Amino acid sequence: MMTLLAPKPLLILCTLSFYFSYVMAFSAGDTQILLRVKTQLDDPDGNLNDWVSGSNQSPCNWSGITCEQKNFSIVSIDMSRFGVYGGFPAELCRIRTLQNLTLNFNSINGTLSTKLLSLCSHLQALELEENDIVGELPEFPPEFTGLRVLNLKMNNFTGDIPASFGRFPQLRVLKLAGNLLTGPFPKFLTNLSELTRLDIAYNPTMKPSLLPPEIGNLTNLQELVIFNINLTGNIPDSIGNLVSLRNLDLSQNSLSGTIPESIGRLRSAQQIELYLNRLYGELPDSIANLTSLQNLDLSQNGFTGKFSERIAGIRFISLRLADNLLEGSVPDIVANSPDLVQLHLFNNSFSGSLPENLGRNSALQDLDVSTNKFTGELPQHLCYGKNLSSLVIFWNQFSGNLPDTLSECQSLNYVRIEQNELSGQVSDKFWGLPLLIHLRMHNNRLSGPVSSSISFANGLEALTISGNVFSGQLPPQICKLSALVELDVSDNQFSGEVPSCMTELKNLQKLRMQQNLFTGEIPRHLSSWTQLTELNLSKNRFSGPIPPELGDLPVLNYLDLSDNSLTGEIPVDLTKLKLGQFNLSDNKLYGEIPTGLDYELFAPGLLGNPGLCSSNLKQVHPCQRTKSPTLLLAVILSICVALLVGSVLWYLKIRAQVFGGKAKRLYSVTSFQRVGFNEDDVFPSLTNENLIATGGSGHVYRVKLKSGQVLAVKKLWGGSSRKPESELVFRSEVETLGRIRHGNIVKLVFCCSGEDCRILAYEYMVNGSLGDALHGEKLGPLVDWAARFNVALGSAHGLAYLHHDCVPAIVHRDVKSNNILLDEEWTPRVADFGLAKTLERDVASGHGAMSQIAGSYGYIAPEYAYTLKVTEKSDVYSFGVVLLELITGKRPNDLSFGENKDIVKWVTEAALSSTSSCDGDGENAEGCGIDLSQIVDPRMNPTTMDFEEIENVLNVALLCTSAFPINRPSMRRVVELLKDQKPASQK
Ligand SMILES: *[C@@H]1O[C@H](CO)[C@@H](O)[C@H](O)[C@H]1NC(C)=O
Ligand SMILES: *[C@@H]1O[C@H](CO)[C@@H](O)[C@H](O)[C@H]1NC(C)=O
């Protein structure tokens, strides 16, 4: 400005301002339109702050506006990532010169109606990617003759693709991916002869349909991305006509048949993705003609035959053939590609040795050839490019030493070489590779000590080296691996004392050291082992007493100290543990067995200790108690009782035989841990006075056994009409569930199934369900926020375990506060997953269809309405609802929310309205943010409330309840997100 006032530029200024006033007059209407739209949009990030009228302010300088150079008319508006909220601003189309309108990555909501759109027929490009638009796709009026780009990706559009989408004469780019479309793939799209990019992918809700042969008419296509839209049938031969195609993605459909030979005509193809279909047959040789090909993924199909020399000669960057039925050797020539980064061949039947030069000619990063029949030595140069991070070769027959070059391979972080025939010493440097996270080498013939250099691998989370011939002492440096979750050194020849500092490994969950030659005492000071669930020190030479501190480990459920030389009495503290596996047998323990362990149930775990005595178990010496006559009397009495019971049982048995009672069992019984009871102990207690609940799948009884153990026994409806196949399904699910051991999951201890017995017995949870506690009279410790937070975190752990650590992953399908139970410490335990639903399906199948909705009202993820499929992400949604319940104390369908509103809508609206109300004074961080007082449970003790933490949990809950599954975090991420806040609140 100052310089412009100097005499010479003054002239220019005058000319300019004359010109400007001419333009301003010309576009004054457009300026008004922009200002009006500004008032209609919510702009929390202030990206429209420079949209203000004022002298000499041309809108051409405003954010997002582009004008024509010559006459300053507005031709393009790009508000991508402005963070604006509100309905589609069709008003902008009143700017007659506007060609392109781009509103990607905002929160545009509401619907897109034909009426709104009719203003916009002069547009060349309309882009609304990743917004929140709902409803059906609009019909476009015929006036839309100039449209070249239509991008409606990642919204919540539903319904069919309208017929008018086949009538854009100039359309080059059409993107509808990531919506909730329900119609088929329409043939009329093949009329769009100018199309270069078609992306409809990830509409898993679409109706199964064929890929029409006319797709071959779209000869200008460069990108055809139509994965996960329920395509069926064959890949049409005409696909070969798409000679301009660079990227073909048909993955995650149900395509069947063979790959047509014509695929070899796609000379421009750089990427072909066909994974997860039902394709079969041999790989067509014509693939070898695809000289531009870089990435090929044919995984998860049923391809057979060999991997031909010609195809292997392609200059691949990434080649994935995993999960097929391929066989024969892998041609050496595959190692010649100078670009090869990723090679996935796992789960096939490949044999022979790996190409000797693999890794020699490229920066190989990710090699997975696991579960094949490979033999021979590992190639020497896998890490020649200093880039190898993932080396996965397990379940083969590789032999020989680990190549020395791997010891220099600093980039390695995921190493799974278990279940081979590898031998020789593991070098110091290999043990200390600094980025290692997983190192699994078990079941080989590797030898030598664990090097002290292992301390350099301080990010290790899993170290399994069992079943080798490693020897020497474990170095104390192993205690530096503070991230370690699983350590298995079992079945080796380790000796000497265990470094006592190992008790500092605070993330350890499984410690297996059995079958070695360890000596010395079991370490004490175990208070850091708060996560330890499994401890196996059996078959060693440990001596000294059992540390009573073991009884304080909060989640230990597997304890095996058998076959050592342990002495002393059994600490009473051990009775505090809830054990699935308990074994102290074959030691030198003596003294009286603590009453909590003096049951038949534990007897096998106590045998082989000649010095132990028991007042209860016949297998063990009785304790000498001659001093007390009353006790003697008691012993005599109990012997009498035992005799009496014995004879009664004997009588009953005889009677049963005589009267043809229970000649054979009509059902089978499975127990998943040492249980001291059988079905006959349970049956008589299934009476009305023990009934505690009645659910969708049956009655639940509280059963107290003679041992004192209390069970929740679920007796399922129906039964006599079960088909043998469904019985098998049921049984295999039961096996899976029975194996689950996690501190936040209710244990299935016993199950019985068959014609006249359909029973599941779980551990009984004293404090009932979270739902009852929150919505009933008895809040208990849940008056405090901290207790609620623990429930949130604990149940997240349980669900994450089901989703990520179980094989196969278990989708709960009915996450709700009534299925989160609380034990005596008010620790949450996830209950009632999977199983009951299988049974309901079973019962329902009598009527031909599944009568039962998966999930409970108020917790059901919105996509269920369209997909009728329940995925992990549906559990995440339901879990988000539980989080909201914990914060608000309200039921998911509380009547106070009003017509058609649930807790998610109610909280979302409350959260939005309070954030927008603090627009102006952003500096005052205290006052801004969500006004929690409106939504938090008024019954919570205000002095314990940590608003920062509550707000964070609220944010996690809102993420979990995102309308679109893809936006929801995984349960593992949820755990992290919840945990992340802990330090903040404890500062
Ligand atoms: C509008 O979009 C079309 C198609 O993407 C593009 O070719 C053109 O350059 C854009 N025009 C402006 C002014 O940005
Ligand atoms: C769209 O969002 C705005 C502001 O966020 C809100 O006020 C309005 O109710 C929403 N409209 C619809 C139809 O959801």
Side-chain angles (χ1 to χ4, degrees):
M1 259 329 202
M2 295 304 266
T3 48
L4 288 183
L5 290 175
K8 216 167 145 198
L10 193 62
L11 187 68
I12 305 169
L13 183 69
C14 294
T15 339
L16 263 180
S17 63
F18 165 76
Y19 193 61
F20 253 95
S21 50
Y22 165 73
V23 172
M24 291 301 283
F26 178 74
S27 64
D30 293 349
T31 307
Q32 291 314 309
I33 291 169
L34 291 173
L35 291 174
R36 208 158 48 232
V37 167
K38 178 186 174 180
T39 64
Q40 289 160 8
L41 291 174
D42 242 349
D43 174 29
D45 301 344
N47 280 309
L48 303 179
N49 283 352
D50 63 357
W51 287 25
V52 281
S53 56
S55 57
N56 292 352
Q57 258 292 5
S58 156
C60 296
N61 298 328
W62 296 358
S63 299
I65 311 288
T66 306
C67 293
E68 172 77 38
Q69 293 290 323
K70 287 188 226 110
N71 60 7
F72 293 96
S73 60
I74 298 172
V75 288
S76 159
I77 300 177
D78 183 352
M79 293 166 51
S80 296
R81 297 181 200 277
F82 273 25
V84 292
Y85 290 77
F88 173 64
E91 177 106 25
L92 290 171
C93 295
R94 293 195 192 277
I95 299 173
R96 294 313 302 169
T97 50
L98 188 64
Q99 295 168 7
N100 295 356
L101 177 56
T102 307
L103 298 165
N104 296 339
F105 311 106
N106 285 295
S107 301
I108 303 298
N109 64 357
T111 57
L112 194 60
S113 66
T114 305
K115 189 160 166 246
L116 277 180
L117 269 183
S118 58
L119 284 173
C120 301
S121 58
H122 55 298
L123 290 185
Q124 291 179 11
L126 175 61
E127 302 206 52
L128 291 166
E129 179 167 341
E130 214 173 323
N131 281 286
D132 302 325
I133 307 175
V134 296
E136 304 222 330
L137 288 169
E139 284 284 1
F140 280 66
E143 294 79 49
F144 273 85
T145 50
L147 199 64
R148 288 153 181 259
V149 176
L150 178 57
N151 179 3
L152 304 176
K153 207 169 158 170
M154 304 291 284
N155 280 283
N156 289 328
F157 286 111
T158 48
D160 287 347
I161 300 175
S164 57
F165 279 53
R167 295 191 206 116
F168 298 114
Q170 303 215 48
L171 200 65
R172 309 286 201 269
V173 178
L174 177 60
K175 297 187 186 177
L176 301 174
N179 280 292
L180 300 164
L181 301 177
T182 45
F185 180 96
K187 200 163 90 178
F188 54 71
L189 290 182
T190 62
N191 298 339
L192 299 169
S193 57
E194 300 296 316
L195 268 193
T196 58
R197 302 174 69 182
L198 179 59
D199 179 3
I200 305 186
Y202 198 73
N203 278 287
T205 41
M206 274 170 78
K207 191 165 156 194
S209 50
L210 301 174
L211 184 57
E214 292 82 353
I215 194 80
N217 300 347
L218 299 179
T219 50
N220 290 314
L221 270 188
Q222 294 170 11
E223 225 174 89
L224 177 58
V225 181
I226 46 178
F227 64 85
N228 204 347
I229 59 168
N230 256 321
L231 292 176
T232 59
N234 293 355
I235 302 176
D237 279 339
S238 61
I239 201 92
N241 298 349
L242 305 181
V243 290
S244 310
L245 208 58
R246 296 206 198 111
N247 180 14
L248 172 64
D249 193 338
L250 305 175
S251 63
Q252 304 168 65
N253 282 299
S254 302
L255 294 166
S256 55
T258 57
I259 303 179
E261 279 287 337
S262 64
I263 200 156
R265 290 165 48 210
L266 303 180
R267 297 295 172 105
S268 314
Q270 294 168 355
Q271 167 158 301
I272 296 183
E273 306 272 327
L274 301 178
Y275 67 91
L276 198 53
N277 275 292
R278 298 177 189 157
L279 300 165
Y280 50 80
E282 302 205 354
L283 307 184
D285 225 26
S286 65
I287 290 182
N289 301 341
L290 302 175
T291 47
S292 309
L293 196 60
Q294 297 170 337
N295 302 323
L296 177 64
D297 193 342
L298 306 179
S299 308
Q300 294 173 280
N301 281 290
F303 293 116
T304 48
K306 299 202 166 151
F307 176 17
S308 79
E309 190 95 11
R310 287 195 60 218
I311 297 178
I314 292 175
R315 194 169 161 169
F316 287 113
I317 295 176
S318 162
L319 173 63
R320 296 194 265 181
L321 302 176
D323 279 309
N324 279 293
L325 304 164
L326 298 166
E327 58 189 12
S329 58
V330 173
D332 287 339
I333 193 173
V334 82
N336 289 8
S337 165
D339 303 320
L340 190 66
V341 170
Q342 183 179 56
L343 182 61
H344 279 186
L345 304 176
F346 56 91
N347 278 342
N348 279 288
S349 296
F350 286 119
S351 55
S353 50
L354 285 178
E356 197 182 326
N357 283 329
L358 196 59
R360 186 64 186 261
N361 299 311
S362 69
L364 189 65
Q365 186 180 354
D366 179 2
L367 177 69
D368 191 337
V369 299
S370 59
T371 323
N372 277 290
K373 296 173 179 162
F374 286 113
T375 52
E377 301 203 359
L378 285 178
Q380 284 295 318
H381 304 293
L382 290 174
C383 195
Y384 190 78
K386 300 196 182 328
N387 201 28
L388 189 67
S389 68
S390 185
L391 173 64
V392 183
I393 62 162
F394 66 87
W395 282 109
N396 279 290
Q397 291 148 36
F398 288 112
S399 56
N401 294 350
L402 278 181
D404 287 342
T405 47
L406 284 182
S407 305
E408 309 291 334
C409 190
Q410 305 256 325
S411 49
L412 275 176
N413 69 46
Y414 189 75
V415 176
R416 294 193 58 186
I417 58 176
E418 73 265 23
Q419 306 283 2
N420 279 288
E421 291 160 21
L422 298 165
S423 56
Q425 293 223 1
V426 175
S427 73
D428 289 354
K429 279 190 170 164
F430 188 83
W431 284 113
L433 288 172
L435 301 182
L436 283 178
I437 292 175
H438 267 248
L439 178 55
R440 297 197 189 270
M441 309 200 281
H442 52 269
N443 297 355
N444 279 288
R445 296 183 203 133
L446 297 163
S447 58
V450 173
S451 165
S452 59
S453 63
I454 196 158
S455 57
F456 296 111
N458 58 7
L460 262 185
E461 292 175 7
L463 177 61
T464 59
I465 59 173
S466 56
N468 283 288
V469 279
F470 290 115
S471 57
Q473 280 190 265
L474 280 187
Q477 284 79 1
I478 209 163
C479 311
K480 295 277 187 288
L481 308 183
S482 57
L484 212 54
V485 172
E486 182 182 357
L487 176 61
D488 188 349
V489 303
S490 64
D491 198 4
N492 278 292
Q493 290 170 17
F494 289 113
S495 56
E497 298 201 4
V498 172
S500 58
C501 57
M502 277 178 69
T503 59
E504 291 158 22
L505 293 171
K506 64 180 187 330
N507 287 305
L508 207 56
Q509 293 178 12
K510 289 181 184 161
L511 177 57
R512 299 193 184 125
M513 308 184 78
Q514 71 271 23
Q515 292 210 50
N516 279 290
L517 306 165
F518 288 114
T519 53
E521 299 200 357
I522 299 175
R524 308 182 83 120
H525 306 296
L526 310 177
S527 56
S528 299
W529 277 356
T530 53
Q531 316 257 345
L532 195 71
T533 57
E534 181 174 337
L535 178 63
N536 193 339
L537 304 179
S538 65
K539 301 203 173 85
N540 278 290
R541 297 176 183 170
F542 286 109
S543 55
I546 297 176
E549 290 87 343
L550 278 177
D552 296 325
L553 299 185
V555 292
L556 189 71
N557 63 37
Y558 186 115
L559 177 65
D560 192 345
L561 307 177
S562 64
D563 215 343
N564 279 291
S565 299
L566 299 172
T567 52
E569 301 199 4
I570 298 175
V572 180
D573 305 71
L574 294 194
T575 60
K576 290 187 273 184
L577 296 170
K578 293 172 211 114
L579 293 168
Q581 166 77 2
F582 169 74
N583 199 346
L584 307 181
S585 63
D586 298 313
N587 277 291
K588 296 176 180 154
L589 302 168
Y590 50 76
E592 190 173 351
I593 297 172
T595 33
L597 295 172
D598 201 4
Y599 293 114
E600 198 60 36
L601 162 66
F602 298 112
L606 297 166
L607 300 180
N609 289 289
L612 286 180
C613 76
S614 158
S615 43
N616 187 25
L617 298 172
K618 335 186 239 322
Q619 302 93 323
V620 181
H621 300 295
C623 293
Q624 305 292 318
R625 289 286 182 98
T626 40
K627 278 184 236 154
S628 156
T630 46
L631 258 180
L632 189 62
L633 194 66
V635 169
I636 291 168
L637 256 175
S638 57
I639 289 172
C640 291
V641 169
L643 280 174
L644 187 68
V645 168
S647 48
V648 167
L649 284 178
W650 177 81
Y651 164 76
L652 287 176
K653 196 171 157 200
I654 293 293
R655 198 182 72 132
Q657 279 165 3
V658 169
F659 295 104
K662 226 186 257 163
K664 70 178 167 71
R665 282 184 173 170
L666 296 171
Y667 49 83
S668 60
V669 173
T670 320
S671 10
F672 301 103
Q673 48 177 298
R674 282 152 200 267
V675 293
F677 60 90
N678 63 30
E679 66 279 14
D680 296 327
D681 297 316
V682 174
F683 274 152
S685 306
L686 305 185
T687 56
N688 272 343
E689 65 259 33
N690 290 330
L691 185 70
I692 49 175
T694 298
S697 47
H699 290 311
V700 184
Y701 302 86
R702 179 179 182 276
V703 172
K704 186 162 184 191
L705 297 168
K706 276 175 280 186
S707 66
Q709 193 178 2
V710 184
L711 302 174
V713 177
K714 191 159 193 177
K715 186 164 186 242
L716 301 152
W717 308 129
S720 53
S721 63
R722 292 163 66 76
K723 294 197 273 324
E725 317 86 87
S726 55
E727 186 68 29
L728 280 180
V729 173
F730 170 63
R731 295 210 54 76
S732 85
E733 284 203 49
V734 163
E735 301 289 346
T736 315
L737 300 181
R739 276 197 299 272
I740 290 176
R741 292 281 177 277
H742 189 278
N744 294 114
I745 292 177
V746 175
K747 247 186 267 171
L748 178 63
V749 288
F750 176 87
C751 147
C752 156
S753 77
E755 263 178 65
D756 53 3
C757 171
R758 285 150 58 82
I759 278 182
L760 302 168
Y762 296 92
E763 295 171 295
Y764 179 74
M765 294 292 125
V766 198
N767 283 311
S769 78
L770 174 64
D772 290 344
L774 272 183
H775 309 306
E777 274 110 48
K778 186 182 144 208
L779 266 185
L782 298 182
V783 291
D784 291 336
W785 167 250
R788 296 197 188 192
F789 181 81
N790 282 339
V791 171
L793 186 60
S795 30
H797 269 297
L799 285 173
Y801 179 84
L802 293 179
H803 287 184
H804 302 292
D805 297 322
C806 292
V807 182
I810 294 173
V811 179
H812 187 296
R813 311 164 63 105
D814 197 9
V815 176
K816 56 178 172 180
S817 56
N818 282 341
N819 278 339
I820 294 174
L821 304 184
L822 300 163
D823 69 13
E824 60 273 33
E825 265 101 34
W826 293 76
T827 304
R829 310 274 211 105
V830 177
D832 212 2
F833 37 91
L835 246 195
K837 290 292 163 202
T838 314
L839 295 165
E840 278 160 17
R841 202 164 37 204
D842 219 11
V843 173
S845 64
H847 310 284
M850 182 157 165
S851 64
Q852 206 81 25
I853 275 198
S856 300
Y857 189 51
Y859 295 89
I860 301 172
E863 73 270 16
Y864 180 78
Y866 307 105
T867 59
L868 297 179
K869 264 190 234 142
V870 186
T871 66
E872 278 99 323
K873 287 297 179 76
S874 344
D875 279 358
V876 175
Y877 181 94
S878 314
F879 180 71
V881 176
V882 173
L883 289 181
L884 294 179
E885 276 185 275
L886 280 166
I887 295 169
T888 62
K890 290 193 192 296
R891 289 181 200 274
N893 294 305
D894 196 297
L895 290 176
S896 70
F897 297 149
E899 192 77 72
N900 291 331
K901 245 194 234 175
D902 57 19
I903 196 165
V904 176
K905 281 211 190 94
W906 179 73
V907 171
T908 313
E909 282 181 18
L912 283 178
S913 71
S914 57
T915 36
S916 53
S917 72
C918 71
D919 264 347
D921 49 78
E923 304 88 66
N924 185 0
E926 289 286 284
C928 203
I930 298 168
D931 181 9
L932 288 169
S933 63
Q934 288 181 36
I935 57 169
V936 291
D937 189 351
R939 299 170 301 166
M940 253 195 293
N941 177 352
T943 61
T944 67
M945 284 200 242
D946 175 345
F947 281 102
E948 197 178 328
E949 200 178 59
I950 297 176
E951 181 168 346
N952 287 331
V953 174
L954 179 64
N955 286 330
V956 176
L958 293 178
L959 263 185
C960 290
T961 51
S962 302
F964 211 65
I966 206 164
N967 295 334
R968 297 175 204 147
S970 69
M971 275 318 296
R972 192 170 273 163
R973 181 81 190 120
V974 170
V975 170
E976 280 168 20
L977 289 171
L978 288 173
K979 263 188 180 164
D980 278 349
Q981 4 227 299
K982 260 212 136 158
S985 70
Q986 285 169 0
K987 69 187 173 238

